[in-house]
Amino acid sequence: MFIINCPYCGDRDQTEFSCHGEAHIPRPTNTATMTDEEWGDYVFFRSNPKGYHRERWLHDHGCRRWFNALRHTVTDEFVATYKVQDPRPQIPGDGDQS
Amino acid sequence: MSQSQRLSQGGMIDRSKPISFAFDGRQYTGYQGDTLASALLANGVRLMGRSFKYHRPRGAIAAGSEEPNALVQLETGAYTEPNTRATCIELYDGLVAKSQNRWPSLEFDIGAVNSLVARFLPAGFYYKTFMWPASMWMTYEKFIRKAAGLGVSPVEDDPDVYHGTYAHCDVLVIGGGPAGISAATAAAGSGARVMLLDEGSEYGGALLGTSDNAAAKSYIDSALGALGQSENVRLLSRTTATGYYDYNYITALEKVTDHLGPGNGGDAPRQRFWKIRAKQVVIAAGSIERPLIFADNDRPGMMLANAVGVYINRYGVLPGNDVVVFTNNDSAYQVALDASAAGATVTVVDTRRNVSADLKSKLEQNNIRLFEGHAISSVQGGKGVESVRIMELSADGESLQGQAWEIVCTCVATSGGWTPSCHMFSQSGGKLKYEESIAGFIPDSSRAKNSCPNVSAGSCNGVFTTQECIAQGVEAGISAAGAAGRSGSVPSVDTFAVNEIPQGAIAPLWLVPTVHPVGEGKAKHFHDFQNDVTAADIHLAAREGFVSVEHLKRYTTTGMATDQGKTSNLNALAIMANIQGVSIPEVGTTTFRPPYTPLTLGAVGGQESRELFIQERKTPMHEHHVASGAVFEDVGDWKRPWYLPKEGEDMHAAVQRETLAVRESVGMLDASTLGKIDIQGKDAVKLLEMVYTNNWQKLAIGSCRYGLMLNEHGMIFDDGVTTRLGENHYHMTTTTGGAARVMNWLEEWLQTEWPEWEVYCTSVTEQWAVLAINGPKARDLLRDLTDIDVSKDAFPFMTMREGTVADVPARVYRISFTGELSYEINVPARYGKHLIEALTEAGKKYDLVPYGTETMHVLRAEKGFIIVGQDTDGTVTPHDMDMDWIVSKTKEEYLGNRAQARVDTRREKRPQLIGLLTEDPTVVLPEGAHIVAEVLDKPPMPTIGHVTSSYMSPNAGRSIALALLQDGINRKGETVSLSMMDGTVHKAKVTDTVFVDKEGVRVRG
């Protein structure tokens, strides 16, 4: 049972939140010209890493705001939570900004 | 034979308060302060139950919560509780308990025949025997279920009350022994908010079982007294930490009134379930002694050495007058001294040859015989140990040699060393390390989980003297408080010493040899008493390749009983390590899982049971429906009128009457539960364009439009009517069950994908009470109550007008889910009751009939209107629903657009919505019935579709159905077959989906 730092409300119990999978997957704007494979990749495929993961959370039973979190999927450590429009926080020990 | 084993003095029981209780129908007497186990032992009762698989006679081996054997059925009737540990039941007046898993009686048990056929019940027996042929399992199962098992579940409702509660603290201390008490004292002194939990009725842990426990008690009382004075300390005794979850979330079960007996708790709950969030945790959970594993080591009278000490010192009970202490370490020598002091004849059998001179002289002073380098080779006595034979161990400990000596005894106190209780640390995500010097696993603090900051102290951390435990506790308390941001001045914590002999140099002997190789001969070497698993089973598992610790566990069921292997796991791992010739850490440990001890489900539920189990949503008109005799249906969390029977009507009759009335005169339905979302902002129409499949740019103010929502898979997930209220102001309706889902869907896109759009969505479902009036007389009825011009031209179909209805402000939407002339009257929720009362009164002259959801379903099916979630199931597209008319061909983009062009959504022969008319018009097909391509003698038959909605339609004068059928739209006019469960076959004609008023005249009337 995590404690999650909502960027709008502060530390709250996990029961107030729901997780909505990988973050930073923008909806394509060229859907008409996409192949089925490209479209399927957008709709169905996610990275599912063992390690640090940027993911979307919703503070359902609170401010009802969507935000992003950088969480380690093994240790469940939240490195950071950040607003949708905020820059992506860096993965610890990794120069990669992606 | 009254309390024949009770010592004349000593113990922490209150001899002035005798307590009478019954076990297996016999009356006994014990004292206040006894447990059921100690009271039975005081009365000379060693036999307390039969074992799970072999029905072997068993008695208590422990004095605490690790007890595997002495499980009893506590109390009777509604209060009965199976598998309760006699060692944890505090004795109360009138207690009634029964032994388990025996028939007809504990002394004479027919199931014990399993012992005679034990050859045929080894590990893996179930898998091997019953996997094939599958059909025979049905036969075997009855036999197995009866022959193997534990207690009996209660069949009546639980009469007890349970509470759940939350707590927060800086430092949570788990365990109230010397380490825990000193940790709590140090942390509280530092200014931390502290909670101290202990599973026992008294604080003190192992100190309570020592021979100088009177002095210990005053030490504990003074420490507890000081803690109790502190405002920032909460003390919870009889409280077991059951689970340790992420971010220091700990659950604990407090047995509030169990010790008073059933029904005697007054207003207090029976148990309270704590959900605690702690900044820091100090784990001071103690350690558990391991039994030595030797031939027939399960006979009643065999006990863990420390348990014998506890029964003598805490309860004033001598478990046997002739005691053999069998050990591989020093700690049991204290028990030998205590038993001797209590008057027993004691013999010590030590597997080691290098017993210290100090210990030897202590034994000599007390006339205790010592056999060094010896081991028990066999045990005599069935329902209780009568004597043991001992032989000399070979130098390598692998075999026995020389002459056997027979020692008469009624109690064998065994110690195979101490296993630190790492359950909480392991549950918190921490890893263990093997410590050779104590032959056990301890927490590896360097591999704890960062999100679960904790520190272990005391014997759960591998230190075994009271003074070391206190010192570690103090250190842990200070560091935990500091880490929680509390670092006030720390008071000095008194230390304390007791008569104890620590484990010392342990010589592991994981499996004591016999004259036969393991598994041969009649004797059994039990390591898991509760699941009846023996060393021979581990050998078998190894031979058959189940060497991984997780496989070993599941194949033999080691550690999978209700005690979760507290006394058995390490022994099992070590035996497997020896077989494989690897070290114990190479074998590894299985995962420790919550709960630490069995947990009452009622306590987990707490107050949230019965009517509080789930919230009920009621509309503002609910009282009126109740008064009208409505039968309710659950829709989501809502209570909706299902149908409103008149005297003598069943559901069918009521629904047929209501359905006819709507098309003949006028009916009214409480539609308040429909999801309603107020949408405002200059980009509102852009949102509608994206979430609906059709066009919204040209919708006029005051007009309504039906819309279909798709997910990105192109599948229908909700529908409803949206009305334009103003320039940038819309009122969206959703399905009752989909309201929250749709609201989240809109917010998700707005917040994550189009945050620059200026759109505001507000859920207004509960702000409005809604009555839908449907039928040819709806206009007349409405006209009588409103200032709105309701004439056909002034108020056309698919528009909204504002005004008053029944003298209250209202928005009236002329939309229809029945195909009739229809108005949905929305008034502020507080006027809901007023509105339905006013309409009921005014409707009398128009034969107004209230109707429920079932009639609503029939009416809409007569018109072929779909219900999302009934006629759709998340795999159907608008095209599958024959609803291409609502999908824009001109819009560039909307959610779900691209997916409709995928190969799979475009393929032929997708299931499509059609109507079905059975050849026999009286047959109402069951919903879910399969349309088969070919009728065969018996299933399986190739399925080409299924019925989604099916009713008797009084307006069509026959049964009607909607169905999803492969390539259905092209099959209209064909006849298909539907095969029923009972073998009958119905023929039906494929039709379009509209059964009444095909031209749609009535709705525009």
Side-chain angles (χ1 to χ4, degrees), chain A residues 1-3 13 26-27 31 34-36 39 42-44 56 64-66 74-78 84, chain B residues 246-247 249 277 449-451 712-713 744 747-749 751-753 893-895 898-899 902-903:
Chain A
M1 192 76 81
F2 309 155
I3 289 176
D13 196 281
R27 187 172 196 273
T31 62
M34 289 170 83
T35 64
D36 272 8
W39 177 255
Y42 158 66
V43 174
F44 297 111
R56 306 190 306 161
R64 300 194 53 77
R65 298 295 290 264
W66 289 73
V74 178
T75 67
D76 287 324
E77 244 184 297
F78 281 80
V84 169
Chain B
D246 275 313
Y247 290 74
Y249 186 79
R277 189 74 81 165
K449 208 169 168 184
N450 286 345
S451 57
E712 284 283 49
H713 310 286
N744 285 344
E747 283 291 340
E748 175 183 349
W749 287 103
Q751 290 186 34
T752 66
E753 201 69 29
E893 190 57 292
Y894 56 89
L895 300 178
R898 175 62 183 80
R902 286 176 58 227
V903 172

Side-chain angles (χ1 to χ4, degrees), chain B residues 854 857-858 860-861 870 924 927 949-953 959-960:
Chain B
E854 188 64 18
H857 283 193
V858 179
R860 64 89 205 177
Q870 177 166 343
V924 179
E927 287 171 359
S949 295
S950 179
Y951 309 95
M952 177 55 71
S953 161
S959 66
I960 59 170

Side-chain angles (χ1 to χ4, degrees), chain B residues 92 98 126 233 256 334 342 365 395 437 510 566 593 655-656 680 682 697 700 740 777 826 837 892 991:
Chain B
Y92 52 81
K98 278 196 312 189
Y126 298 87
V233 174
V256 185
Q334 183 65 50
Q365 285 162 25
S437 66
W510 300 107
K566 289 186 178 60
R593 296 182 205 282
V655 170
Q656 296 295 299
Q680 302 193 43
K682 70 179 172 56
Q697 298 283 5
K777 295 181 186 169
N826 287 233
E837 283 168 358
E892 267 186 23
T991 68

Side-chain angles (χ1 to χ4, degrees), chain B residues 932 935-939 941 978-986:
Chain B
V932 297
V935 177
L936 303 177
D937 289 343
K938 58 176 187 171
M941 297 175 217
L978 295 104
S979 177
M980 302 298 114
M981 295 286 280
D982 64 1
T984 49
V985 173
H986 296 300

Side-chain angles (χ1 to χ4, degrees), chain B residues 106-140:
Chain B
L106 184 57
E107 293 286 330
F108 177 75
D109 172 30
I110 283 176
V113 71
N114 280 8
S115 275
L116 305 177
V117 295
R119 267 189 74 106
F120 308 109
L121 284 170
F125 172 73
Y126 298 87
Y127 300 109
K128 287 174 186 158
T129 312
F130 302 132
M131 287 304 285
W132 189 90
S135 60
M136 284 308 286
W137 170 247
M138 309 297 270
T139 312
Y140 294 134

Side-chain angles (χ1 to χ4, degrees), chain B residues 299-349:
Chain B
R299 296 303 185 198
M302 302 279 176
M303 299 175 108
L304 295 170
N306 84 89
V308 174
V310 170
Y311 286 119
I312 293 169
N313 294 319
R314 180 169 179 184
Y315 299 108
V317 174
L318 185 60
N321 296 332
D322 299 282
V323 177
V324 168
V325 175
F326 183 28
T327 184
N328 67 351
N329 69 88
D330 291 352
S331 67
Y333 282 73
Q334 183 65 50
V335 176
L337 297 173
D338 291 349
S340 175
T345 306
V346 182
T347 307
V348 174
V349 178

